[in-house]
Structure formats: C-alpha cells, structure tokens
Amino acid sequence: MKTTLANWGNYPPVATTATSFADTETLRHTFETANELIIRGNGRCYGDSSLSDRCVVSSLKFDKIVAFDTQNGILTCQAGVTLADVLDVIVPKGWFLPVTPGTKFITVGGAVASDVHGKNHHVEGSFGQHVLWMDVFTGRGEIVRCSPAEHADLFAATCGGMGLTGAILTVCFRLKKIQTAYIRQRQVKARNLQEIIALFEQYKHATYSMAWIDCLKSGDGFGRSIMMSGEHAAADQLAGVPADKHLQLPPKMKLTVPFHFPEFVLNNLSVRAFNFLYYHKNYRRVMDSTVPYDGFFYPLDAIHHWNRMYGRSGFVQYQFVLPPAASERGLTDILQRIGKKGWGSFLAVLKLFGKQESLISFPMEGYTLALDFPVRKGLFEFLDELDRVVLDYGGRLYLTKDARMKPEVFKAGYPRLQEFLDIVRTYNPEGKFASLQSKRLLAGL
Amino acid sequence: MSKSVLILGALSDVGTALARRFAQSGHSVVVAARQTEAAQNLAADIAIRYGTAAKAVYFDALAYDSHADFWAQLSPQPDIVIAVFGYLGNQEEAARNFAEAQRIIHTNYTGAVSILNIAAQSMEQAKSGCIVGISSVAGERGRQSNYIYGSAKAAFTAYLSGLRNRLAHSGVHVLTVKPGFIATKMTEHLNLPPLLTASPQQVAEDIFRAVQRRRNVIYTLWMWRWIMLIIKLIPEGIFKRLKM
Ligand SMILES: Cc1cc2nc3c(=O)[nH]c(=O)nc-3n(C[C@H](O)[C@H](O)[C@H](O)COP(=O)(O)OP(=O)(O)OC[C@H]3O[C@@H](n4cnc5c(N)ncnc54)[C@H](O)[C@@H]3O)c2cc1C
C-alpha cells in the first residue's frame, strides 16, 4: 500500500511504502524484505533526505530513553526520541542539550544524521561532537557500536552522513549543566551588513548568537538585522522566579496554522511587512531580557505547522556557508541577487560557525545564511545561479535543507566526499540504505 | 496512593501507550512481554521519564503452564491487570491452515482466559482490583474478512462479561474495551479511514479514564458504538450477501 509523504518543505511529495519499527527484530525484517530503504525521523529536514520511492522506515516508535546518568549528565536513548522529550526529562534535573537546532521536534537520530548545529556552534560545535558512542544497524545487517575511538570511520561517516551508513539505533551523548530553564538574552539592532558582521565579531564569546536579517532592504539599510545573543541564566540572576520553579517553564499557549495559505499571501508585500515589523519591534538598539529557554531557542515551534504558510506547492530552504575571508563579499553578492529578483525570504537567519574538521558534516568556519523560497517557476534556475556563486566563494550547501542541488555542486562543496563514499561502501555495500537525495546526488559517483 | 499496573503484552503500540499513561499519573508499572530486552528498555524509559517504579517481566500468553508461577512471583500483586496481547493473523491463511487459526484463537482467547482466571481468583480473594480486557469490535458480528479473529474476540468479550458478573460481588472491577481501528504496527499496511482510526495514545487515554470511572464496556473511538449498532442491526439475510 502506497502513501504520500513529504518533509517540512512539502517539496517534493513522494508515493511510497511507509513502515516503522519499535524493536530491532522488526527493523531487521524490513531490511531483509525491502530492496531499498531509508530511515525517517520526524521529517523535519526540508527536502528529500529522508524520502524514498521504495520504502521509508519511521524511527518514531523506537523511542525509549534507556539510561540517564543525572550525576554526570549522560543520556542514552533510542534514535526515535525527540529533542522535545529529552528536554522534558533533563531540564527539571538541571541539564540541557549540548547542541540544539531551531526546532525541538526532531529526533536524536536526525540530529546525528544531519550533525545539526545550533546557535552555539562557534563555541561548542555540532551535535556529533557530543556523542560518546552509538549503535548503527549497517547496510550489512550488523549492529556495530562506534565512537571516535571504536570503528571511528563508521562514526565519522554517520555524523552528517544522512542515514547512508545505516540506521542509527541507540545514541549516548553528553549533556550540559544548567542552573535554570531561562536564558539571558540580548537583542542588538544592526543597520546594515557591515554592522552585523562587526557585531558577530564583537559577540564571538557569547555562548549563543544568531541574527535575523532583512534581505529585501536596499541602499543604506542593505542587510539590516537583529542579532540575538544569549547565556543560560544562573540561579541568582532570576529575580521574581521562586527557587523551586527555576528549572520549569511557565505554561503558555500554542498557535496553529490550520491550513495551507493561498499563494498570494506570500507576495513581496507581506514579506516586507513582516521584516519591517520584526525590525521595529525592537525600538531600542540594545535590549536585554530574561526569557524561558524555549522562546529563545524555538520561537517558530510556538506556531505549529508554519510551513503551511507557503501553500501547497511547498518551499525549499537554501542554506549555505562561506569561509570567513569571503563572507562579507559573498553575502553581499547573494543578497543583491535576491533583492534584484525581488524574491525576499520570509525567514533569513545568519549565523557564525566556528572551526570544524568534518568528513561530511555541513559546518565549517564562516558565515551561514538560511533562506526560504516558495517553489515557483524559475526558482530552481535561480538557485542554480546562486549555487555557482556559493562555490565561487568557496562555500557549500546544507544537505538536510536541500531538495534540488546538482551532483557537481555537492561534489565541489565537500572536499572529503570520496573518503566518505569509501566508508559508505564498506558498511552499506549494496546501497540498500538510499534516499531520493542520495540517488540524485551520488548518481555516477 | 500509587497503584500498581500489570500490562500483559506491553510491547504492542497500545500496551506501550498504556504503560506510559498510567506511569504518568504516578502508577508503578510492570511490563510483561516475550522480548526481554525491549521490555527492559521500556521499563527503563518509564522510570526515567515519569520517575515511577517500573519493571520488566517475561510473559508468554501461550505458555499456559507457566501462568500460575508467573502470577505468584509478582510482588506486590498488581491492583490493575490489563490484557493487551492479541494476534490479528491472516484470515485467508487461517481458513486454509488450521495452525494459523489455532494461533489466532489461542493468543486472543485461550491465553487470555488462562492468565485472567488466575488474576480473577486472586483479586476475588483480596476483594479488590481491576481487570481490563482489550477485545475488539470485530467480535460483534462475524465478517468474511476476519471471522476467525472476530470469533476469538467474541469469545473473549463473553468471557469478560461473565467475569464481571461474578466479580461484581467481591467489588472487583472488570472493564471490556472494544477498539475499532487503531493506527498500529498491526494495521500499518492497511488503508484505514483517518476519522475512524484512533492513535494508541487516544486508546490509552480512554482506557485510563474508564478505569478511574469504573466503566463496564467502552468503545474507542466512541463512534464505533453507533457504527457497530448499525452493523448488528442489518438482517442476516442481507448481511450474508455483503462483502465485509
Ligand atoms: C524550523 C526548523 C528549524 C531548523 N533549524 C535547524 C538548525 O538551526 N540547525 C540545523 O542543523 N538544522 C536545523 N533544522 C533541520 C533539522 O534539524 C534536521 O533536518 C534534522 O535532521 C531533522 O531531524 P528529523 O528527526 O526530523 O529527521 P528527518 O528529517 O526525518 O531525517 C533527516 C535525515 O536524518 C536521517 N535519519 C533520521 N533518523 C535516522 C536514524 N535513526 N538513522 C539513520 N538516519 C536517520 C534521514 O535519513 C535523513 O537523511 C531545522 C528544521 C526546521 C524544520
């Protein structure tokens, strides 16, 4: 029986056989009967990384937290546990995720497979750097425990490897100590691109930082933005919250986007209006506040299904990273092209990555920008043009956001690709674990 | 006071949802299943998430001879016993091959009677307790698509109603649950109508509330009561010609 599945961008949709597993025997059975499969977590990648037209295997029932060392802050769980569930368990005990993306509705397996980064990449690296060990059900049908020391090749190729070495089963990772569930946040307005880049330099030592950028403004205000930095609040910095509530979140309401917005809602006007309002909401240049952690890390999670705003044809997210020396020129070039096209993005997020030595993971030192574009005529040609610009400046694209890049672009952006492929061929020799994305990008490699 | 719940067949989707739902309200849970490792993982998960006592025990519904010992080694004796295990099987296969029919009947009926007889005896003596049996709307009227499974569930429904009648006199509560479609591993390959299909969490919530309120028989989702009423009212002369 075929069902239609799509990930967060609602593009591309695919008719496929969908199954799930709650134990390893069931996974083994699926592995043995399917001729091709890919594991899917919560489908929060944007494009086709966790899709296949053959067999998509959900990990969401493989969701047991099997050990929590509350003394040393070490959690061991099955790959289908969501970060939201992990937070519910660890925050009240005074621990936090070492790294979290901008949504908590992803699985631990998805966090490893995309080697996700958060607002703290410049100081604390990506998710995989906090993993102590994990078990992988490889494409050879064996369960292999790997870590930076044991089967290090498999470990490196699984962090950021988009599920191509096999199914991540159990993951053991380090947590970070917190005293409260609150963040001391600072918001600073930057009038243009030069200013925001200078601000990132200035706030290099802040634990968390990122910026919202208005990519439609031209002239003097080109690249105007708001930078947000944050630190976990210490117990003595929480005035007005009783001590026994320090590790709890205040209750709040959830909003939902109940249906797909018609396309016209997202014309330029509404994007301009949104960015304008967002910018002017901050009436002072510098604003400090103390906020619950989920408002700071997951502002979009409060609006369920905001992806439906982009209408039925869906959207793609375009996220690239440029090396530090080329960042300012590269960002200017790309933002100017977008401005000229008049295709401003509703959300544009800028962030500074620290150094990272990785085999296939996305992060490398430099600036990364993420932009949303509704799918429409001419978009993919335009993005092909941007791809060339990104490569010219020595950058690359994030696989977990991709739905359309060409194999050459992928190959040029990831210098250690061949090494990665050799490891994948060792552990997944028949290519049984394969996604629409891997078939698109690895064709002929 | 925190009560103890025994879940027989805890690794099914509904079993897992039930174990978590009861633990969430402070009950201690014993999860019983054949796969020891997965059961231990579930028990650990419950203890970590909800901070309640949770333990895994080996249980095989078809190993009747082991049931008395199984019950005797439970300590403390559970306040609530929920029999969730079941086997849908394959109707066509069961019509041709008696081994499959037998497996369906024994898992859904004989195994349940074997263990619940023991639980009933013990609760009757203690004059307290609650027995929950997960039957099925498939037991309301035999249909060509699954009458072997349906007949085993019909027998189980009748057993539970007799048990309720007997145990009412000693204050023991017996709840019969008749789920309609549930989105589970068992039904993953079927094309179920979304509006009539409950999630395991919804079913667990319904059962949890029905235990608190000492209900006798519940349908979940609730509209199945009315759907089954209509199905039961169709005259046999017409019913036999339908393709159901
Ligand atoms: C609003 C929003 C904000 C985001 N912000 C960020 C951000 O700040 N930083 C960032 O890095 N990312 C971000 N992302 C992307 C997201 O973190 C990743 O796409 C993540 O991998 C999604 O995880 P998932 O559990 O939904 O997995 P899916 O999207 O289902 O799968 C993602 C990939 O992981 C693989 N995979 C999943 N589970 C397993 C497993 N058990 N074994 C093997 N492979 C597996 C899949 O095959 C696929 O290749 C954001 C996404 C959204 C929607």
Side-chain angles (χ1 to χ4, degrees), chain A residues 266-298:
Chain A
L266 277 150
N267 58 20
N268 279 332
L269 250 180
S270 60
V271 175
R272 273 179 217 277
F274 174 82
N275 283 342
F276 180 84
L277 283 176
Y278 203 91
Y279 191 74
H280 290 283
K281 184 174 79 108
N282 284 18
Y283 45 93
R284 273 178 283 131
R285 200 181 102 83
V286 178
M287 292 201 331
D288 289 325
S289 52
T290 301
V291 296
Y293 76 82
D294 66 340
F296 180 78
F297 290 105
Y298 315 114

Side-chain angles (χ1 to χ4, degrees), chain A residues 1 18-23 25-26 61 63-68 75 78 81 85 89, chain B residues 11 13 16 20 35 38 41-42 44-46 48-49 183-185 188-191 200:
Chain A
M1 225 246 344
T19 67
S20 68
F21 67 102
D23 52 64
E25 293 93 280
T26 311
K61 286 180 186 167
D63 67 345
K64 312 303 171 303
I65 299 176
V66 294
F68 179 18
L75 191 91
Q78 296 177 339
V81 177
D85 281 3
V89 167
Chain B
L11 296 180
D13 292 323
T16 300
R20 285 178 170 167
Q35 300 101 301
N41 284 338
L42 176 59
D45 176 81
I46 287 171
I48 294 168
R49 284 185 197 239
T184 63
K185 295 195 266 278
E188 216 160 49
H189 58 287
L190 304 173
N191 199 359

Side-chain angles (χ1 to χ4, degrees), chain B residues 87-89 91 94 101 104-105 108-109 135-158:
Chain B
Y87 176 59
L88 181 58
Q91 170 64 35
I104 295 174
I105 296 162
N108 293 300
Y109 184 61
S135 189
S136 170
V137 296
E140 307 265 288
R141 193 165 191 177
R143 294 173 296 127
Q144 66 174 6
S145 55
N146 67 357
Y147 61 88
I148 307 268
Y149 173 80
S151 63
K153 286 297 194 185
F156 187 37
T157 301

Side-chain angles (χ1 to χ4, degrees), chain A residues 54 56 76 97 100 179 184 198 211 255 282 299 304 312 336 373 393 429:
Chain A
R54 309 279 183 80
V56 174
T76 310
L97 293 166
T100 176
Q179 291 181 9
R184 282 186 305 132
L255 306 170
N282 284 18
H304 275 258
R312 288 212 183 274
Q336 272 170 349
F373 294 103
Y393 286 101

Side-chain angles (χ1 to χ4, degrees), chain A residues 68 72-75 77 83 86-87 90-91 94-101 108 111-112 115-132 171-178 207-208 232 297-298:
Chain A
F68 179 18
N72 301 303
I74 295 171
L75 191 91
C77 67
L83 298 187
V86 171
L87 287 165
I90 64 174
V91 171
W95 296 98
F96 201 73
L97 293 166
V99 165
T100 176
V108 169
V112 174
D115 198 11
V116 299
H117 57 266
K119 295 179 169 70
N120 55 345
H121 186 274
H122 57 293
V123 286
E124 290 168 314
S126 60
F127 196 89
Q129 287 165 259
H130 303 269
V131 173
L132 297 171
V171 184
C172 174
F173 61 101
R174 224 178 298 122
L175 305 172
K176 97 191 228 188
K177 188 97 196 112
I178 50 170
T207 307
Y208 300 106
H232 290 280
F297 290 105
Y298 315 114

